[in-house]
PDB file of all heavy atoms in Angstrom:
ATOM      1  N   PHE A 420     -69.939  30.747  40.591  1.00  0.00           N
ATOM      2  CA  PHE A 420     -71.307  30.374  40.977  1.00  0.00           C
ATOM      3  C   PHE A 420     -71.299  29.764  42.383  1.00  0.00           C
ATOM      4  O   PHE A 420     -72.235  29.940  43.151  1.00  0.00           O
ATOM      5  CB  PHE A 420     -71.891  29.344  40.001  1.00  0.00           C
ATOM      6  CG  PHE A 420     -72.285  29.898  38.647  1.00  0.00           C
ATOM      7  CD1 PHE A 420     -71.870  31.145  38.211  1.00  0.00           C
ATOM      8  CD2 PHE A 420     -73.090  29.133  37.807  1.00  0.00           C
ATOM      9  CE1 PHE A 420     -72.240  31.630  36.959  1.00  0.00           C
ATOM     10  CE2 PHE A 420     -73.467  29.607  36.552  1.00  0.00           C
ATOM     11  CZ  PHE A 420     -73.041  30.846  36.122  1.00  0.00           C
ATOM     12  N   GLU A 421     -70.226  29.027  42.690  1.00  0.00           N
ATOM     13  CA  GLU A 421     -70.123  28.387  43.998  1.00  0.00           C
ATOM     14  C   GLU A 421     -70.077  29.449  45.103  1.00  0.00           C
ATOM     15  O   GLU A 421     -70.717  29.301  46.137  1.00  0.00           O
ATOM     16  CB  GLU A 421     -68.842  27.539  44.023  1.00  0.00           C
ATOM     17  CG  GLU A 421     -68.985  26.240  44.769  1.00  0.00           C
ATOM     18  CD  GLU A 421     -67.738  25.365  44.640  1.00  0.00           C
ATOM     19  OE1 GLU A 421     -67.347  25.049  43.499  1.00  0.00           O
ATOM     20  OE2 GLU A 421     -67.164  25.006  45.680  1.00  0.00           O
ATOM     21  N   TRP A 422     -69.326  30.509  44.830  1.00  0.00           N
ATOM     22  CA  TRP A 422     -69.261  31.627  45.777  1.00  0.00           C
ATOM     23  C   TRP A 422     -70.652  32.246  45.939  1.00  0.00           C
ATOM     24  O   TRP A 422     -71.096  32.551  47.044  1.00  0.00           O
ATOM     25  CB  TRP A 422     -68.258  32.665  45.249  1.00  0.00           C
ATOM     26  CG  TRP A 422     -68.091  33.872  46.128  1.00  0.00           C
ATOM     27  CD1 TRP A 422     -67.182  34.029  47.121  1.00  0.00           C
ATOM     28  CD2 TRP A 422     -68.862  35.084  46.079  1.00  0.00           C
ATOM     29  NE1 TRP A 422     -67.335  35.266  47.702  1.00  0.00           N
ATOM     30  CE2 TRP A 422     -68.367  35.941  47.084  1.00  0.00           C
ATOM     31  CE3 TRP A 422     -69.927  35.540  45.303  1.00  0.00           C
ATOM     32  CZ2 TRP A 422     -68.887  37.210  47.327  1.00  0.00           C
ATOM     33  CZ3 TRP A 422     -70.456  36.805  45.538  1.00  0.00           C
ATOM     34  CH2 TRP A 422     -69.927  37.626  46.544  1.00  0.00           C
ATOM     35  N   MET A 423     -71.343  32.416  44.789  1.00  0.00           N
ATOM     36  CA  MET A 423     -72.682  33.040  44.834  1.00  0.00           C
ATOM     37  C   MET A 423     -73.663  32.186  45.628  1.00  0.00           C
ATOM     38  O   MET A 423     -74.403  32.689  46.481  1.00  0.00           O
ATOM     39  CB  MET A 423     -73.212  33.239  43.409  1.00  0.00           C
ATOM     40  CG  MET A 423     -72.548  34.382  42.681  1.00  0.00           C
ATOM     41  SD  MET A 423     -73.394  34.707  41.105  1.00  0.00           S
ATOM     42  CE  MET A 423     -72.178  34.140  39.978  1.00  0.00           C
ATOM     43  N   ALA A 424     -73.655  30.866  45.361  1.00  0.00           N
ATOM     44  CA  ALA A 424     -74.595  29.974  46.058  1.00  0.00           C
ATOM     45  C   ALA A 424     -74.326  29.970  47.558  1.00  0.00           C
ATOM     46  O   ALA A 424     -75.264  29.919  48.363  1.00  0.00           O
ATOM     47  CB  ALA A 424     -74.496  28.571  45.480  1.00  0.00           C
ATOM     48  N   ALA A 425     -73.027  30.048  47.929  1.00  0.00           N
ATOM     49  CA  ALA A 425     -72.687  30.101  49.359  1.00  0.00           C
ATOM     50  C   ALA A 425     -73.176  31.419  49.951  1.00  0.00           C
ATOM     51  O   ALA A 425     -73.650  31.474  51.089  1.00  0.00           O
ATOM     52  CB  ALA A 425     -71.183  29.953  49.548  1.00  0.00           C
ATOM     53  N   LYS A 426     -73.093  32.470  49.159  1.00  0.00           N
ATOM     54  CA  LYS A 426     -73.483  33.818  49.611  1.00  0.00           C
ATOM     55  C   LYS A 426     -74.995  33.907  49.869  1.00  0.00           C
ATOM     56  O   LYS A 426     -75.416  34.490  50.856  1.00  0.00           O
ATOM     57  CB  LYS A 426     -73.070  34.816  48.523  1.00  0.00           C
ATOM     58  CG  LYS A 426     -73.250  36.263  48.888  1.00  0.00           C
ATOM     59  CD  LYS A 426     -71.963  36.858  49.406  1.00  0.00           C
ATOM     60  CE  LYS A 426     -72.138  38.331  49.687  1.00  0.00           C
ATOM     61  NZ  LYS A 426     -71.155  38.808  50.672  1.00  0.00           N
ATOM     62  N   TRP A 427     -75.808  33.318  48.972  1.00  0.00           N
ATOM     63  CA  TRP A 427     -77.257  33.451  49.198  1.00  0.00           C
ATOM     64  C   TRP A 427     -77.813  32.350  50.093  1.00  0.00           C
ATOM     65  O   TRP A 427     -78.932  32.449  50.568  1.00  0.00           O
ATOM     66  CB  TRP A 427     -78.041  33.615  47.896  1.00  0.00           C
ATOM     67  CG  TRP A 427     -78.044  32.469  46.922  1.00  0.00           C
ATOM     68  CD1 TRP A 427     -78.362  31.171  47.197  1.00  0.00           C
ATOM     69  CD2 TRP A 427     -77.771  32.530  45.514  1.00  0.00           C
ATOM     70  NE1 TRP A 427     -78.284  30.423  46.050  1.00  0.00           N
ATOM     71  CE2 TRP A 427     -77.932  31.231  45.000  1.00  0.00           C
ATOM     72  CE3 TRP A 427     -77.419  33.561  44.639  1.00  0.00           C
ATOM     73  CZ2 TRP A 427     -77.736  30.921  43.662  1.00  0.00           C
ATOM     74  CZ3 TRP A 427     -77.226  33.250  43.306  1.00  0.00           C
ATOM     75  CH2 TRP A 427     -77.380  31.938  42.819  1.00  0.00           C
ATOM     76  N   GLY A 428     -77.011  31.285  50.335  1.00  0.00           N
ATOM     77  CA  GLY A 428     -77.404  30.270  51.323  1.00  0.00           C
ATOM     78  C   GLY A 428     -78.597  29.422  50.935  1.00  0.00           C
ATOM     79  O   GLY A 428     -78.972  29.366  49.762  1.00  0.00           O
ATOM     80  N   ARG A 429     -79.215  28.785  51.934  1.00  0.00           N
ATOM     81  CA  ARG A 429     -80.345  27.891  51.657  1.00  0.00           C
ATOM     82  C   ARG A 429     -81.645  28.688  51.559  1.00  0.00           C
ATOM     83  O   ARG A 429     -81.820  29.690  52.227  1.00  0.00           O
ATOM     84  CB  ARG A 429     -80.467  26.839  52.759  1.00  0.00           C
ATOM     85  CG  ARG A 429     -79.241  25.930  52.852  1.00  0.00           C
ATOM     86  CD  ARG A 429     -79.620  24.535  53.316  1.00  0.00           C
ATOM     87  NE  ARG A 429     -80.480  23.842  52.360  1.00  0.00           N
ATOM     88  CZ  ARG A 429     -80.029  23.263  51.225  1.00  0.00           C
ATOM     89  NH1 ARG A 429     -78.755  23.300  50.923  1.00  0.00           N
ATOM     90  NH2 ARG A 429     -80.868  22.662  50.421  1.00  0.00           N
ATOM     91  N   ASN A 430     -82.539  28.212  50.700  1.00  0.00           N
ATOM     92  CA  ASN A 430     -83.857  28.838  50.485  1.00  0.00           C
ATOM     93  C   ASN A 430     -83.795  30.351  50.294  1.00  0.00           C
ATOM     94  O   ASN A 430     -84.458  31.111  51.013  1.00  0.00           O
ATOM     95  CB  ASN A 430     -84.786  28.520  51.660  1.00  0.00           C
ATOM     96  CG  ASN A 430     -84.914  27.019  51.866  1.00  0.00           C
ATOM     97  OD1 ASN A 430     -85.097  26.265  50.895  1.00  0.00           O
ATOM     98  ND2 ASN A 430     -84.775  26.577  53.090  1.00  0.00           N
ATOM     99  N   PRO A 431     -83.010  30.820  49.344  1.00  0.00           N
ATOM    100  CA  PRO A 431     -82.918  32.271  49.132  1.00  0.00           C
ATOM    101  C   PRO A 431     -84.200  32.820  48.493  1.00  0.00           C
ATOM    102  O   PRO A 431     -84.904  32.091  47.785  1.00  0.00           O
ATOM    103  CB  PRO A 431     -81.749  32.392  48.147  1.00  0.00           C
ATOM    104  CG  PRO A 431     -81.774  31.104  47.379  1.00  0.00           C
ATOM    105  CD  PRO A 431     -82.242  30.058  48.350  1.00  0.00           C
ATOM    106  N   THR A 432     -84.469  34.077  48.734  1.00  0.00           N
ATOM    107  CA  THR A 432     -85.589  34.728  48.046  1.00  0.00           C
ATOM    108  C   THR A 432     -85.115  35.149  46.656  1.00  0.00           C
ATOM    109  O   THR A 432     -83.909  35.344  46.440  1.00  0.00           O
ATOM    110  CB  THR A 432     -86.028  36.000  48.793  1.00  0.00           C
ATOM    111  OG1 THR A 432     -84.892  36.895  48.808  1.00  0.00           O
ATOM    112  CG2 THR A 432     -86.474  35.695  50.208  1.00  0.00           C
ATOM    113  N   PRO A 433     -86.053  35.322  45.702  1.00  0.00           N
ATOM    114  CA  PRO A 433     -85.648  35.822  44.382  1.00  0.00           C
ATOM    115  C   PRO A 433     -84.899  37.147  44.483  1.00  0.00           C
ATOM    116  O   PRO A 433     -83.934  37.383  43.761  1.00  0.00           O
ATOM    117  CB  PRO A 433     -86.987  35.993  43.643  1.00  0.00           C
ATOM    118  CG  PRO A 433     -87.917  35.030  44.299  1.00  0.00           C
ATOM    119  CD  PRO A 433     -87.486  34.983  45.748  1.00  0.00           C
ATOM    120  N   GLU A 434     -85.317  37.987  45.432  1.00  0.00           N
ATOM    121  CA  GLU A 434     -84.657  39.295  45.570  1.00  0.00           C
ATOM    122  C   GLU A 434     -83.196  39.144  45.992  1.00  0.00           C
ATOM    123  O   GLU A 434     -82.305  39.823  45.483  1.00  0.00           O
ATOM    124  CB  GLU A 434     -85.430  40.171  46.579  1.00  0.00           C
ATOM    125  CG  GLU A 434     -85.029  41.623  46.553  1.00  0.00           C
ATOM    126  CD  GLU A 434     -84.729  42.192  45.147  1.00  0.00           C
ATOM    127  OE1 GLU A 434     -85.548  42.030  44.206  1.00  0.00           O
ATOM    128  OE2 GLU A 434     -83.628  42.776  44.990  1.00  0.00           O
ATOM    129  N   ARG A 435     -82.950  38.198  46.908  1.00  0.00           N
ATOM    130  CA  ARG A 435     -81.575  37.938  47.370  1.00  0.00           C
ATOM    131  C   ARG A 435     -80.721  37.425  46.197  1.00  0.00           C
ATOM    132  O   ARG A 435     -79.566  37.819  46.042  1.00  0.00           O
ATOM    133  CB  ARG A 435     -81.628  36.892  48.502  1.00  0.00           C
ATOM    134  CG  ARG A 435     -80.275  36.496  49.062  1.00  0.00           C
ATOM    135  CD  ARG A 435     -79.612  37.637  49.818  1.00  0.00           C
ATOM    136  NE  ARG A 435     -78.300  37.252  50.335  1.00  0.00           N
ATOM    137  CZ  ARG A 435     -77.253  38.063  50.402  1.00  0.00           C
ATOM    138  NH1 ARG A 435     -77.369  39.318  49.982  1.00  0.00           N
ATOM    139  NH2 ARG A 435     -76.115  37.656  50.895  1.00  0.00           N
ATOM    140  N   ILE A 436     -81.311  36.585  45.382  1.00  0.00           N
ATOM    141  CA  ILE A 436     -80.581  36.052  44.225  1.00  0.00           C
ATOM    142  C   ILE A 436     -80.234  37.187  43.256  1.00  0.00           C
ATOM    143  O   ILE A 436     -79.100  37.292  42.778  1.00  0.00           O
ATOM    144  CB  ILE A 436     -81.406  34.925  43.550  1.00  0.00           C
ATOM    145  CG1 ILE A 436     -81.276  33.663  44.405  1.00  0.00           C
ATOM    146  CG2 ILE A 436     -80.927  34.658  42.124  1.00  0.00           C
ATOM    147  CD1 ILE A 436     -82.221  32.567  44.092  1.00  0.00           C
ATOM    148  N   ARG A 437     -81.213  38.068  43.014  1.00  0.00           N
ATOM    149  CA  ARG A 437     -80.944  39.214  42.126  1.00  0.00           C
ATOM    150  C   ARG A 437     -79.783  40.053  42.646  1.00  0.00           C
ATOM    151  O   ARG A 437     -78.914  40.481  41.892  1.00  0.00           O
ATOM    152  CB  ARG A 437     -82.201  40.104  42.013  1.00  0.00           C
ATOM    153  CG  ARG A 437     -83.312  39.496  41.189  1.00  0.00           C
ATOM    154  CD  ARG A 437     -84.367  40.513  40.884  1.00  0.00           C
ATOM    155  NE  ARG A 437     -83.841  41.568  40.010  1.00  0.00           N
ATOM    156  CZ  ARG A 437     -84.530  42.621  39.601  1.00  0.00           C
ATOM    157  NH1 ARG A 437     -85.773  42.788  40.001  1.00  0.00           N
ATOM    158  NH2 ARG A 437     -83.992  43.515  38.821  1.00  0.00           N
ATOM    159  N   GLU A 438     -79.793  40.272  43.971  1.00  0.00           N
ATOM    160  CA  GLU A 438     -78.757  41.083  44.617  1.00  0.00           C
ATOM    161  C   GLU A 438     -77.356  40.476  44.428  1.00  0.00           C
ATOM    162  O   GLU A 438     -76.408  41.161  44.041  1.00  0.00           O
ATOM    163  CB  GLU A 438     -79.057  41.044  46.127  1.00  0.00           C
ATOM    164  CG  GLU A 438     -79.118  42.343  46.857  1.00  0.00           C
ATOM    165  CD  GLU A 438     -79.537  42.035  48.304  1.00  0.00           C
ATOM    166  OE1 GLU A 438     -78.670  41.595  49.110  1.00  0.00           O
ATOM    167  OE2 GLU A 438     -80.745  42.190  48.589  1.00  0.00           O
ATOM    168  N   VAL A 439     -77.270  39.169  44.701  1.00  0.00           N
ATOM    169  CA  VAL A 439     -75.958  38.500  44.634  1.00  0.00           C
ATOM    170  C   VAL A 439     -75.463  38.431  43.187  1.00  0.00           C
ATOM    171  O   VAL A 439     -74.276  38.656  42.919  1.00  0.00           O
ATOM    172  CB  VAL A 439     -76.023  37.091  45.280  1.00  0.00           C
ATOM    173  CG1 VAL A 439     -74.710  36.336  45.078  1.00  0.00           C
ATOM    174  CG2 VAL A 439     -76.351  37.196  46.765  1.00  0.00           C
ATOM    175  N   VAL A 440     -76.378  38.149  42.253  1.00  0.00           N
ATOM    176  CA  VAL A 440     -75.983  38.076  40.840  1.00  0.00           C
ATOM    177  C   VAL A 440     -75.507  39.447  40.364  1.00  0.00           C
ATOM    178  O   VAL A 440     -74.512  39.564  39.636  1.00  0.00           O
ATOM    179  CB  VAL A 440     -77.149  37.548  39.968  1.00  0.00           C
ATOM    180  CG1 VAL A 440     -76.844  37.704  38.487  1.00  0.00           C
ATOM    181  CG2 VAL A 440     -77.441  36.090  40.303  1.00  0.00           C
ATOM    182  N   ARG A 441     -76.197  40.494  40.812  1.00  0.00           N
ATOM    183  CA  ARG A 441     -75.794  41.858  40.442  1.00  0.00           C
ATOM    184  C   ARG A 441     -74.386  42.154  40.974  1.00  0.00           C
ATOM    185  O   ARG A 441     -73.529  42.676  40.269  1.00  0.00           O
ATOM    186  CB  ARG A 441     -76.801  42.868  41.010  1.00  0.00           C
ATOM    187  CG  ARG A 441     -76.839  44.180  40.244  1.00  0.00           C
ATOM    188  CD  ARG A 441     -77.869  45.140  40.814  1.00  0.00           C
ATOM    189  NE  ARG A 441     -79.235  44.661  40.702  1.00  0.00           N
ATOM    190  CZ  ARG A 441     -80.130  44.603  41.705  1.00  0.00           C
ATOM    191  NH1 ARG A 441     -79.789  45.004  42.922  1.00  0.00           N
ATOM    192  NH2 ARG A 441     -81.357  44.174  41.509  1.00  0.00           N
ATOM    193  N   GLN A 442     -74.150  41.749  42.201  1.00  0.00           N
ATOM    194  CA  GLN A 442     -72.848  41.988  42.842  1.00  0.00           C
ATOM    195  C   GLN A 442     -71.721  41.209  42.143  1.00  0.00           C
ATOM    196  O   GLN A 442     -70.652  41.745  41.896  1.00  0.00           O
ATOM    197  CB  GLN A 442     -72.953  41.553  44.312  1.00  0.00           C
ATOM    198  CG  GLN A 442     -71.744  41.928  45.140  1.00  0.00           C
ATOM    199  CD  GLN A 442     -71.787  41.268  46.526  1.00  0.00           C
ATOM    200  OE1 GLN A 442     -72.820  40.755  46.974  1.00  0.00           O
ATOM    201  NE2 GLN A 442     -70.660  41.293  47.205  1.00  0.00           N
ATOM    202  N   ALA A 443     -71.988  39.965  41.790  1.00  0.00           N
ATOM    203  CA  ALA A 443     -70.916  39.116  41.244  1.00  0.00           C
ATOM    204  C   ALA A 443     -70.759  39.267  39.736  1.00  0.00           C
ATOM    205  O   ALA A 443     -69.653  39.141  39.215  1.00  0.00           O
ATOM    206  CB  ALA A 443     -71.194  37.657  41.583  1.00  0.00           C
ATOM    207  N   LEU A 444     -71.860  39.541  39.030  1.00  0.00           N
ATOM    208  CA  LEU A 444     -71.799  39.521  37.561  1.00  0.00           C
ATOM    209  C   LEU A 444     -72.216  40.834  36.887  1.00  0.00           C
ATOM    210  O   LEU A 444     -72.118  40.951  35.661  1.00  0.00           O
ATOM    211  CB  LEU A 444     -72.693  38.393  37.009  1.00  0.00           C
ATOM    212  CG  LEU A 444     -72.407  36.962  37.485  1.00  0.00           C
ATOM    213  CD1 LEU A 444     -73.430  35.992  36.907  1.00  0.00           C
ATOM    214  CD2 LEU A 444     -70.997  36.521  37.106  1.00  0.00           C
TER     215      LEU A 444
END
Side-chain angles (χ1 to χ4, degrees):
F420 286 14
E421 217 174 303
W422 180 91
M423 285 188 250
K426 187 96 177 157
W427 65 52
R429 298 212 65 78
N430 304 315
T432 61
E434 193 38 50
R435 179 68 181 144
I436 283 167
R437 288 192 66 182
E438 231 176 79
V439 174
V440 170
R441 204 179 296 129
Q442 188 190 345
L444 303 177

